[in-house]
Amino acid sequence: MMRVALYGNVCNNFYTLAKALRDELNIDAHLYLHDKTDIQNRPESDNPELKDNYPDWIHLSHYWNAVSFIKRWDRTFIKELNKYDVVFLSEFGITLAPFLKAKTLFYVTGGDLTQIPFPGKYADKYKTLIKRLGWKYVGFLQRRGIRSATKILSQPFFPFVNALEELNVNSNKVSKCYFPILMDLDVITKNENAWNEIDAFNRSLLAPFRFIIFHPSRIMLRKTKAYVDSGQWKGNDNLFKGFALFIQKYKIKDACLAMPDRIFSVDSIKAKEIIQELGIEQNVAWLTPPNPEGFPRKELMNYYSISDIVADEFATGWFGSVVVEGMACSKPTFCYVDQKVMEHLYPWHPIVSVREPEAIAEKIAEFYFNPEKAKEHGELSRKWANEFHSVKEGTRIYIDNFKRDLQDIFKQKS
């Protein structure tokens, strides 16, 4: 039986994939988690009953951490992963690839390809010489890891394509298959009792409003070339301005923009300044998560469920988990996407693709003034999520593509 290890569980993508490999291909797949993994990247974020009750194929320990290798050259994790035939790696995990005997698949999640390998572009983030040198070293290890991966599972959106070109990665290493984000839509779904399950404080913030736009994405406002190229610029201010235009044009008092106030939103202070300048602070609710890192995904479903619109990002032209989650919860979901790439990846999609404030304002108005249209669009959103991103439907895509890539990588010389 083939043995597969997975490390780098962004938004539970590897947890979902490991289950699919075990159930559908009878592969002995194992998920590795560092014990400091944040709550949004833990299986219990989707399935609370798993807390302190992991099955034997989910491994949690301080040993399972690529950073220990990066900092101290501790080879404990290397030795563990070398027990497997194939290893899926994301985030800093790809730094381990040159030291593994197994075939390695780099599953790109975002900044692990577009930002970490290029620390020189983000010198403004590192305030001391020690930090700059440290990240220069990490960037070197990340670049070396990416180039040594047996196969790279990426997507044809600009930030990914641009980064691969900058890294001069052999195109033969990049999978020609598309691996869509997979989600358990029995878990990621609208909760009809959501209002009663929301924290009392946050419920009090939202209670005055009839119409809620939920914006759970990180707030990244810096529009430098480096942040644009890497997809780290989110264009959140386009949403703020569009929402302000909507409020002012139609004299709206019962609509709000709701956002989690969390540590990963590095530009939240600047966002609050912009919101005040726009004069819409009375229509903005800053939600308090139970953890500074954010809401567990199971709790996030409640906020998706009570919202009328979900808004992701308005910048580079790609999308991530927020879009799929919002649509899985049957909501009209706003995100600027590259239509040519979307046509290549999907036969159809109902993502509300807007970027400029004026267009955002008018689209908000369409759904605000026509609840029936919002309901119909939400149903279409759920249909799309189910057809292309559910475990049930998407697993077959993964299995077929995984088989194809496995055949390819095992033909390659070690």
Side-chain angles (χ1 to χ4, degrees):
M1 179 185 293
M2 179 179 290
R3 304 196 73 215
V4 174
L6 303 97
Y7 172 71
N9 189 41
V10 176
C11 295
N12 276 334
N13 53 12
F14 279 171
Y15 166 60
T16 305
L17 178 55
K19 285 197 300 181
L21 293 176
R22 295 179 69 85
D23 295 344
E24 300 296 327
L25 279 185
N26 195 33
I27 284 176
D28 188 20
H30 289 249
L31 175 66
Y32 284 84
L33 300 168
H34 183 231
D35 61 2
K36 294 295 189 292
T37 297
D38 74 68
I39 185 59
Q40 293 184 334
N41 297 331
R42 290 189 181 223
E44 60 265 37
S45 182
D46 283 5
N47 302 108
E49 66 275 9
L50 289 176
K51 183 175 173 57
D52 301 320
N53 189 35
Y54 286 162
D56 61 7
W57 54 270
I58 299 179
H59 308 274
L60 178 72
S61 170
H62 69 278
Y63 289 115
W64 316 142
N65 183 17
V67 177
S68 297
F69 176 74
I70 293 172
K71 286 184 175 180
R72 299 185 296 275
W73 287 84
D74 182 340
R75 297 181 67 89
T76 304
F77 199 15
I78 298 286
K79 292 175 182 177
E80 177 70 13
L81 294 178
N82 273 332
K83 298 175 182 177
Y84 293 87
D85 303 299
V86 177
V87 180
F88 281 82
L89 298 166
S90 284
E91 295 189 298
F92 295 112
I94 193 60
T95 60
L96 306 178
F99 307 94
L100 297 177
K101 300 173 185 175
K103 302 293 186 179
T104 53
L105 297 175
F106 176 35
Y107 186 102
V108 176
T109 62
D112 50 4
L113 172 62
T114 65
Q115 188 172 22
I116 297 172
F118 309 105
K121 294 183 178 182
Y122 307 97
D124 61 308
K125 289 179 62 176
Y126 316 125
K127 304 303 180 185
T128 67
L129 177 61
I130 294 296
K131 285 190 174 181
R132 284 196 289 273
L133 291 174
W135 279 102
K136 186 174 182 179
Y137 164 65
V138 172
F140 163 74
L141 292 179
Q142 192 82 357
R143 293 192 300 275
R144 184 171 66 167
I146 292 169
R147 289 173 181 142
S148 69
T150 314
K151 185 70 78 173
I152 297 172
L153 312 183
S154 186
Q155 299 174 13
F157 291 106
F158 167 75
F160 297 135
V161 174
N162 181 65
L164 289 168
E165 288 179 354
E166 284 196 51
L167 290 169
N168 197 27
V169 171
N170 187 325
S171 60
N172 291 329
K173 283 196 170 192
V174 182
S175 174
K176 294 176 174 56
C177 302
Y178 174 48
F179 291 82
I181 300 165
L182 290 188
M183 292 186 182
D184 183 346
L185 295 199
D186 290 333
V187 174
I188 312 301
T189 189
K190 183 178 179 181
N191 178 6
E192 298 296 344
N193 193 44
W195 182 255
N196 296 322
E197 296 180 14
I198 285 174
D199 171 81
F201 175 75
N202 289 329
R203 193 165 60 234
S204 71
L205 296 178
L206 299 170
F209 303 102
R210 179 185 68 82
F211 191 88
I212 298 169
I213 300 172
F214 185 44
H215 182 45
S217 310
R218 287 178 300 150
I219 297 175
M220 302 283 285
L221 300 171
R222 281 167 271 189
K223 193 181 177 182
T224 65
K225 184 179 187 305
Y227 282 89
V228 171
D229 287 351
S230 66
Q232 299 302 304
W233 167 56
K234 302 297 182 185
N236 315 81
D237 49 336
N238 283 339
L239 175 62
F240 305 155
K241 293 170 185 175
F243 181 62
L245 287 173
F246 163 71
I247 291 288
Q248 293 154 7
K249 180 176 180 179
Y250 297 103
K251 308 294 189 292
I252 302 296
K253 296 182 179 180
D254 61 355
C256 86
L257 179 61
M259 296 177 281
D261 204 352
R262 60 187 186 125
I263 58 173
F264 295 129
S265 288
V266 296
D267 290 332
S268 59
I269 293 175
K270 178 63 176 176
K272 291 172 183 178
E273 292 173 356
I274 293 172
I275 286 166
Q276 188 171 21
E277 290 170 3
L278 291 169
I280 57 172
E281 61 267 33
Q282 297 302 314
N283 294 85
V284 174
W286 289 98
L287 306 172
T288 301
N291 185 307
E293 296 166 345
F295 290 99
R297 199 152 64 161
K298 187 74 172 177
E299 285 189 40
L300 268 178
M301 294 311 107
N302 291 330
Y303 293 95
Y304 284 122
S305 297
I306 65 167
S307 67
D308 297 277
I309 289 172
V310 171
D312 188 10
E313 56 182 88
F314 304 87
T316 309
W318 60 353
F319 74 93
S321 296
V322 168
V323 164
V324 182
E325 290 167 355
M327 298 175 85
C329 290
S330 305
K331 301 299 174 180
T333 301
F334 288 31
C335 181
Y336 175 68
V337 291
D338 184 323
Q339 295 291 7
K340 288 185 178 179
V341 175
M342 293 300 290
E343 288 172 8
H344 173 69
L345 298 178
Y346 301 96
W348 67 281
H349 78 84
I351 298 172
V352 182
S353 181
V354 284
R355 181 163 60 177
E356 301 307 318
E358 294 79 6
I360 293 170
E362 289 312 304
K363 280 296 180 182
I364 293 173
E366 281 186 29
F367 294 117
Y368 177 88
F369 291 112
N370 193 338
E372 189 58 35
K373 178 177 181 178
K375 182 174 182 294
E376 291 174 359
H377 199 102
E379 291 171 352
L380 200 62
S381 296
R382 174 71 184 188
K383 180 181 178 183
W384 181 81
N386 184 66
E387 186 172 337
F388 300 106
H389 291 274
S390 68
V391 171
K392 180 180 178 182
E393 300 296 332
T395 294
R396 181 47 49 196
I397 298 172
Y398 262 73
I399 298 308
D400 291 344
N401 289 347
F402 185 50
K403 284 180 179 177
R404 191 175 298 117
D405 278 337
L406 276 181
Q407 290 172 356
D408 185 33
I409 66 176
F410 279 104
K411 286 178 184 175
Q412 299 176 23
K413 294 182 180 179
S414 299

